[in-house]
Amino acid sequence: AGAQQSATVATPVSGASPDLLPHFQLEPEDVYIVKNKAVSLACRATPATQIYFKCNGEWVHQGDHVTQHGTDRGTGLPVMEVRIEVTRQQVEKIFGLEEYWCQCVAWSSSGTTKSQKAFVRIAYLRKNFEQEPMAREVSIEQGIVLPCRPPEGIPPAEVEWLRNEELVDPALDANVYVTPEHSLVLRQARLADTANYTCVAKNIVARRRSASAAITVYVNGGWSTWTQWSGCSTSCGRGWQKRSRTCTNPTPLNGGTFCEGQNVQKTACTTLCPVDGAWSEWSKWSVCGAECTHWRSRECSEPSPRNGGRDCHGPELDTRNCTSELCSHVAPGAEDVALYVGLVAVAVCLVLLLLVGVLVYCRKKGGLDADVADSSILTAGFQPVSIKPSKADNPSLLTIQPDLSTATMTYQGSLCPRQDGPAKLQLPNGHLLSPLGAGRHTLHHSSPAAEGADFVARLSTQSYFRSLPRGTTNMAYGTFNFLGGRLMIPNTGISLLIPPDAIPRGKIYEVYLTLHKQEEVRLPLAGCQTLLSPIVSCGPPGVLLTRPAILAMGHCVEASAENWSIRLKKQSCEGTWEDVLQLGAEPCTELYYCQLEAQACYIFTEQLGRFALVGESLSMAASKRLKLVLFAPAACPSLEYNIRVYCLSDTQDVLKEVIQLEKQLGGQLIGAPRVLHFKDSYHNLRLSIHDMPSSLWKSKLLASYQEIPFYHIWSGLQPFLHCTFTLERLSPSTCELACKIWVWQVEGDGQSFTVNFNIGKDTRFSDWLVPDSEVGAPALVGPSAFKIPFLIRQKIISSLDPPGTRGADWRMLAQKLNLDSHLSFFASKSSPTAMILNLWEARHFPNGNLSQLAAAVAEVGKQDSALFAVSEAEC
C-alpha cells in the first residue's frame, strides 16, 4: 500500500559476468522543494554505458538529463554521472494520488541496475498554530503545563520554547521538560519562572512564533509564628498582655494575597497583689500555774500573709507572773514520787493489752479463706464476667471479657476472588471436548516475539513507518505464522487477535499494533461528529490474510440506534479517512465487520490499517461516557494546595496517559474514578467545591464554579481537559482534607465526589491502572495465545460447520452465546464456527470460562445424537 523505498537492484544478462554489472557510487536521496525552487537529483555508476531517470514509473526525457563521463582512477572503468531537475509543477501534477519519486537505471554490457527510490516532497509550514500557550497566574511551587501544537508542515516542524526571548534548555534546568506533544512543563513554579513564554515551530521552509504567554508566579503571604505573650501591664490587679505576628512567612509577591486575620492579639490578665500579715487579738490569760505564771497568745491571721506579703513582727506568746512576785517554790516530796510510779504502771498495762489484741486479730485473719477478697472488692464497680470451664488446679477461675465497644478491626485485601488458573474445559456428554491423550498430539512453533530495537530498525525502512509514533511505549509487535497469536498494548484494552490459519501456511509475518495520540493523527470531524475510541494502527498494510483478524479497543459511547449514527473509519494509503462500515446497517463489503458492546468494540478486518470509531449524534439525548478523576500533590510544603479534576473519555488508554503525566508532576490519585454521562445538549460542564471545614481550609476560587466548554469535551480531540481548585490551609499542621466536589452538566444530572484523605498518604496507581483482563506478555504466539486447545478447536469447527438436524450446528451455538444477531456475517464466511470461536477468544482472553463454552457446545450436541459420534482415536 503506497510507494515504498527500494534498495539497489541488479538484473544481470544471461551468461554475463556479474563483476561488470554497474554499481552506483552515488544514488538519489529524498529532497524537499522549498517554495518554487527546483531540486536536483544525481546518480553516478560504474561501469555504465547509459543512465536514465525514471520518475513515478515514467522515463524522464533524454533532453532533461545532464550527463558527465569519466574514468574510475582505481579500476580504470568508465564512470557516468547524470543529473535532472524536478520542479514544483511536476510534483503538484500528481499531488494527492501518491508520493512523487524518482529512480536511476544504469546499463552495461552485463545487465542493468536500479538505484533506490528518492522521494520528492513539497515543503511547507502553515502559519497558524493549532494550539497556543495561554497566559496564567500560578502560585509558587505549583505545576505548570503550557500546551503547544505547532502548525501543520512537511517536514514536521521542530518545536523549541523561549523564555523572555532566551532558549529554554531542559538539559540545564531539571525543573523543566518538554513532553513528546511539545508541551512545556514546569514541575514546580519558581519566582524566576515569571516571564513571557513563546512556542517556536520551524522547519526548512519557515519559522513560526506563537503568541507569547505571560506566566506570573505569585506568592501568597503567610503569617509568622506568634511572639511570646508580654508581661501583664499592671503589677497589682487587672491589666492586659499582648502578642504579635508579621505577614513575612512568606511575604506576598507579584500580586499574591496578603495575610488574612489579626497581627496583634490582646488578652486580659490579673496580677495578685501582696497581702501583709496582721496579728489577731490576744487571747484571754490562762489560769495561774504552779510556777506562779499565766500566759496569752495571738495569731498572724487577720489577714495571713500571702502573695509575697510581709509576715507579722513581734511575739506570738506573752507570759507574766500572776502573784505579784509572792509565789513560793516547794521541792518534790514522797507524794510526788508515788504519783509518778502509778502513772508508769498504768502505761505498762496499756501496752500489754494492746499487744494481746494485735496477736488475737492476726490469728483470726490468718484463718480466713484465701479466695475471699477484702471489702474493697465489694465497694468496687461491677464488671461483667464470663465463667469459663474451671481447670483442675484452679476451680474458681474467672475471666473478664474484653470491652468490644473500644476494639476495631480493619480488613485489607483484594475484593476480587483469587483465580488459581484458567478453568479446564470439561464436557459431561460426548467426546467433543475430551482431554487430549498424553503424547498423541504435539504442536510446535518457532515464532518468538521480535526484540524491540531490531523490530523498529526493520520497520524504519518501510514508507508507512513515517506515520507511526516513535518509541515502543504504546506499541506491541511479534512474529507470527499459520498458528496465529495475539498482540496487546498493556493497560489500554487494545488487542489484535490473529486466528489460526489467518496467515497462509509457509508465510511468516512481522505484525505490529500501535496506539496513536490524538495530536499525532489529523482526524477531520464535521458537524456533530465526535471521536468515540482511540486511534489504532495495525500492520503492515497490504499483508494478505485468509481469515479476518479481530481488533479490540474501548469506546465511550452509550449506543442506541435512535440517538447515534456510528461509523468505522479507516485511513487510506493517500492519508484520507474513509467510512468503511456503518454500524447497524447492512455491510457493503465483506472485508469489515464490527460488534459493538457496552464498553468495547470488536472489529473483524481482512485488511490491516489505521482505524477509529466516529459517531454523529441524531438527538440531544445522545450521550458519551466521561471518566472523572481527581489528583492532588502527594506532598504539600506550603499552605496552598491544589486539586485537579480531569474530565476524560471513558477509555483505558486515556486514563493510562493521565496517570503517567501525574506521576511526572508528583500527583496522587484521590479515590476511584467516577463515570458521568455527558449529553449532546450544547451545555457546558461545571465543577464546584463545597463542605470544606472553614476553620481549617478556605478556597481561593473567586467564582462559585468553574466551567469547561461543551465543544472541547464533545469533539473528543482534547484528551486532558481538567480544572484546578486552589485551596489554602490556615495552619501548616493541617494534614487532613474533607470536602465535596460537584460535577454536572448545566440542566442535567451530576456527580459528587466525597473527598476525605490525608496529605502525603501514598496511593497506588496500579489499583486503577492494571485491569484484571490484561495479564500476560504484549505478544503471544501460537497455542499460548488462545484458551481453546488447537485440536479441540478444529474438532468443534468440523462438527458444527455442516448443517445439522433441527438447527444443531453453528447457528445454535451462536444463539447459546448470545451472538445470534450476527448470523448473516457468520454465514458469509467459509467457516462460521471459526468466526464464533475467534470472537469468543477476543472477548474472553485470558479470563474466559471454558466450562461455560463447553456447556454451550454440549447443549448443541444434545440436539443431534449423531453429532458427537467421534471415536477416541480421532481425539
Side-chain angles (χ1 to χ4, degrees):
Q4 298 185 1
Q5 191 172 11
S6 302
T8 303
V9 178
T11 304
V13 176
S14 178
S17 173
D19 295 336
L20 297 180
L21 282 173
H23 67 274
F24 285 94
Q25 297 177 339
L26 175 66
E27 296 187 73
E29 297 181 350
D30 295 349
V31 290
Y32 293 95
I33 296 178
V34 179
K35 297 182 179 179
N36 292 321
K37 297 179 181 179
V39 295
S40 177
L41 298 177
C43 62
R44 183 172 61 250
T46 180
T49 58
Q50 292 181 4
I51 301 179
Y52 291 103
F53 270 93
K54 177 187 287 186
C55 293
N56 280 64
E58 296 182 1
W59 293 104
V60 177
H61 192 272
Q62 184 177 2
D64 295 332
H65 291 72
V66 177
T67 306
Q68 292 182 354
H69 296 273
T71 303
D72 190 294
R73 295 180 179 179
T75 61
L77 296 175
V79 177
M80 188 173 184
E81 181 177 342
V82 296
R83 293 179 180 270
I84 63 169
E85 286 192 349
V86 180
T87 64
R88 184 186 185 102
Q89 291 75 14
Q90 291 176 268
V91 177
E92 288 180 339
K93 183 178 180 181
I94 64 164
F95 182 75
L97 299 177
E98 57 181 330
E99 290 189 290
Y100 192 95
W101 58 268
C102 291
Q103 185 180 36
C104 272
V105 181
W107 281 267
S108 72
S109 59
S110 299
T112 61
T113 304
K114 296 180 180 179
S115 72
Q116 67 180 8
K117 291 181 179 178
F119 290 90
V120 182
R121 302 179 179 90
I122 299 175
Y124 67 92
L125 184 63
R126 305 291 187 199
K127 291 184 178 181
N128 297 326
F129 280 73
E130 297 187 8
Q131 186 177 11
E132 295 184 294
M134 303 295 292
R136 291 182 59 187
E137 294 183 357
V138 297
S139 173
I140 193 168
E141 297 184 350
Q142 179 181 346
I144 305 176
V145 179
L146 294 177
C148 176
R149 295 173 62 186
E152 180 183 356
I154 293 179
E158 297 179 356
V159 173
E160 62 184 19
W161 284 88
L162 302 179
R163 178 197 285 131
N164 287 342
E165 302 304 320
E166 293 185 0
L167 181 65
V168 177
D169 188 356
L172 302 178
D173 189 351
N175 191 50
V176 178
Y177 73 93
V178 179
T179 67
E181 298 79 25
H182 310 302
S183 298
L184 180 66
V185 178
L186 304 179
R187 291 184 173 90
Q188 289 185 326
R190 305 160 299 191
L191 291 176
D193 294 325
T194 299
N196 291 324
Y197 290 83
T198 307
C199 181
V200 179
K202 59 182 180 179
N203 65 4
I204 61 176
V205 179
R207 188 172 186 265
R208 312 291 188 199
R209 293 167 53 97
S210 70
S212 295
I215 299 299
T216 303
V217 181
Y218 61 86
V219 179
N220 294 326
W223 288 114
S224 64
T225 57
W226 288 101
T227 61
Q228 297 293 329
W229 287 104
S230 65
C232 199
S233 60
T234 60
S235 59
C236 177
R238 186 175 180 81
W240 56 268
Q241 59 185 158
K242 68 177 181 178
R243 62 177 182 174
S244 62
R245 58 180 179 175
T246 58
C247 189
T248 57
N249 187 30
T251 303
L253 294 173
N254 295 339
T257 59
F258 195 80
C259 304
E260 295 184 3
Q262 298 177 345
N263 64 339
V264 176
Q265 283 186 345
K266 291 185 178 181
T267 184
C269 61
T270 302
T271 304
L272 299 177
C273 298
V275 178
D276 296 336
W279 292 113
S280 63
E281 295 291 333
W282 288 102
S283 66
K284 293 182 179 181
W285 287 101
S286 66
V287 180
C288 191
E291 297 182 354
C292 302
T293 60
H294 62 175
W295 55 269
R296 65 177 181 176
S297 65
R298 61 181 178 177
E299 296 179 351
C300 188
S301 59
E302 293 185 5
S304 300
R306 60 182 181 271
N307 303 330
R310 294 189 298 271
D311 203 355
C312 301
H313 293 282
E316 293 181 328
L317 189 65
D318 182 22
T319 62
R320 68 179 181 178
N321 190 283
C322 56
T323 58
S324 300
E325 304 297 337
L326 297 179
C327 183
S328 59
H329 296 278
V330 181
E335 294 86 357
D336 294 334
V337 174
L339 177 62
Y340 295 149
V341 171
L343 290 175
V344 171
V346 171
V348 171
C349 292
L350 290 176
V351 171
L352 292 175
L353 289 175
L354 180 61
L355 290 174
V356 171
V358 171
L359 291 174
V360 172
Y361 174 76
C362 291
R363 183 178 297 276
K364 290 184 178 181
K365 183 174 180 62
L368 291 177
D369 188 358
D371 290 333
V372 178
D374 60 14
S375 61
S376 65
I377 295 180
L378 300 178
T379 59
F382 175 77
Q383 297 293 334
V385 298
S386 63
I387 303 178
K388 295 183 179 180
S390 60
K391 297 180 181 179
D393 57 347
N394 194 351
S396 59
L397 178 65
L398 297 181
T399 304
I400 300 178
Q401 292 179 341
D403 184 3
L404 300 179
S405 63
T406 61
T408 60
M409 296 183 65
T410 303
Y411 173 77
Q412 296 181 348
S414 174
L415 298 180
C416 300
R418 179 179 177 184
Q419 296 185 359
D420 295 330
K424 294 183 177 180
L425 187 62
Q426 298 178 355
L427 183 65
N429 297 321
H431 306 288
L432 186 59
L433 296 181
S434 301
L436 299 177
R440 301 198 313 199
H441 297 280
T442 304
L443 296 178
H444 298 279
H445 69 85
S446 57
S447 305
E451 293 296 330
D454 295 340
F455 186 89
V456 173
R458 290 191 299 272
L459 200 64
S460 62
T461 62
Q462 307 299 324
S463 61
Y464 54 78
F465 183 75
R466 294 189 299 272
S467 63
L468 296 178
R470 302 302 183 261
T472 58
T473 303
N474 288 325
M475 178 182 286
Y477 39 82
T479 306
F480 301 91
N481 59 9
F482 75 97
L483 292 174
R486 81 175 62 229
L487 295 174
M488 297 176 291
I489 302 178
N491 306 316
T492 62
I494 299 172
S495 65
L496 177 68
L497 176 73
I498 304 174
D501 293 326
I503 297 176
R505 293 179 181 260
K507 297 287 187 180
I508 296 178
Y509 292 158
E510 287 185 335
V511 183
Y512 66 83
L513 176 67
T514 184
L515 167 65
H516 294 272
K517 295 182 179 180
Q518 293 165 358
E519 57 270 19
E520 296 173 348
V521 179
R522 305 292 182 256
L523 176 62
L525 300 177
C528 299
Q529 290 183 341
T530 174
L531 181 63
L532 302 176
S533 72
I535 302 174
V536 180
S537 289
C538 54
V543 69
L544 175 63
L545 295 178
T546 58
R547 291 188 179 181
I550 302 179
L551 175 64
M553 57 185 179
H555 66 80
C556 61
V557 63
E558 293 295 316
S560 58
E562 62 274 14
N563 295 330
W564 284 99
S565 172
I566 302 175
R567 291 177 170 85
L568 177 65
K569 285 184 174 287
K570 183 176 182 290
Q571 193 174 30
S572 66
C573 300
E574 292 78 21
T576 59
W577 286 88
E578 302 172 348
D579 294 338
V580 296
L581 183 66
Q582 180 175 356
L583 276 65
E586 286 295 326
C588 58
T589 175
E590 295 182 359
L591 296 177
Y592 308 99
Y593 189 80
C594 181
Q595 180 186 351
L596 190 68
E597 296 187 354
Q599 293 186 338
C601 63
Y602 300 90
I603 302 169
F604 291 77
T605 175
E606 296 182 12
Q607 292 184 355
L608 303 183
R610 186 170 300 163
F611 297 90
L613 207 63
V614 173
E616 183 174 3
S617 62
L618 303 179
S619 71
M620 296 179 66
S623 65
K624 295 174 58 177
R625 291 191 315 275
L626 298 183
K627 182 154 287 185
L628 306 176
V629 193
L630 272 66
F631 286 90
C636 183
S638 65
L639 295 177
E640 191 170 275
Y641 199 69
N642 297 318
I643 298 178
R644 293 181 290 276
V645 185
Y646 286 83
C647 303
L648 316 172
S649 297
D650 186 17
T651 55
Q652 295 183 34
D653 59 292
V654 180
L655 179 61
K656 171 187 175 182
E657 290 190 29
V658 169
I659 288 180
Q660 291 176 344
L661 175 62
E662 280 294 329
K663 280 186 177 181
Q664 297 174 350
L665 296 177
Q668 66 172 347
L669 189 62
I670 306 176
R674 309 284 182 88
V675 174
L676 175 71
H677 297 280
F678 189 77
K679 294 185 178 180
D680 183 18
S681 61
Y682 301 99
H683 291 302
N684 300 336
L685 192 69
R686 290 182 177 178
L687 304 92
S688 61
I689 189 168
H690 307 276
D691 299 343
M692 283 189 307
S694 58
S695 60
L696 301 176
W697 293 87
K698 69 175 182 179
S699 173
K700 300 190 68 177
L701 185 67
L702 300 179
S704 60
Y705 60 85
Q706 299 188 67
E707 205 165 62
I708 301 178
F710 168 81
Y711 286 103
H712 289 183
I713 299 176
W714 188 256
S715 68
L717 298 178
Q718 300 188 34
F720 303 140
L721 292 171
H722 70 279
C723 285
T724 300
F725 291 96
T726 303
L727 312 178
E728 184 179 9
R729 50 181 177 171
L730 304 182
S731 170
S733 60
T734 301
C735 60
E736 293 183 358
L737 174 60
C739 62
K740 185 172 290 186
I741 295 178
W742 278 97
V743 183
W744 76 101
Q745 194 175 7
V746 181
E747 299 182 7
D749 298 329
Q751 288 274 354
S752 86
F753 287 80
T754 301
V755 178
N756 193 347
F757 70 103
N758 292 327
I759 298 174
K761 182 179 180 182
D762 186 30
T763 300
R764 295 178 299 173
F765 289 97
S766 59
D767 291 346
W768 293 276
L769 183 61
V770 182
D772 293 336
S773 61
E774 291 192 8
V775 179
L780 297 175
V781 181
S784 61
F786 305 94
K787 294 281 292 183
I788 308 172
F790 182 81
L791 296 183
I792 293 180
R793 166 193 170 89
Q794 297 301 106
K795 189 174 181 181
I796 296 175
I797 293 173
S798 61
S799 301
L800 298 184
D801 269 349
T805 59
R806 297 186 298 275
D809 51 20
W810 62 269
R811 292 168 294 179
M812 184 175 293
L813 178 61
Q815 182 180 5
K816 298 295 183 183
L817 299 179
N818 297 320
L819 301 175
D820 46 345
S821 59
H822 311 289
L823 292 180
S824 59
F825 169 72
F826 297 148
S828 66
K829 301 302 177 183
S830 59
S831 176
T833 310
M835 295 298 102
I836 297 174
L837 297 182
N838 294 343
L839 181 56
W840 187 92
E841 290 278 9
R843 295 170 63 192
H844 297 90
F845 187 85
N847 299 321
N849 192 332
L850 276 177
S851 299
Q852 294 180 356
L853 176 63
V857 175
E859 290 182 15
V860 176
K862 292 178 182 178
Q863 304 299 320
D864 188 356
S865 59
L867 182 62
F868 296 99
V870 182
S871 65
E872 288 292 332
E874 293 175 337
C875 297

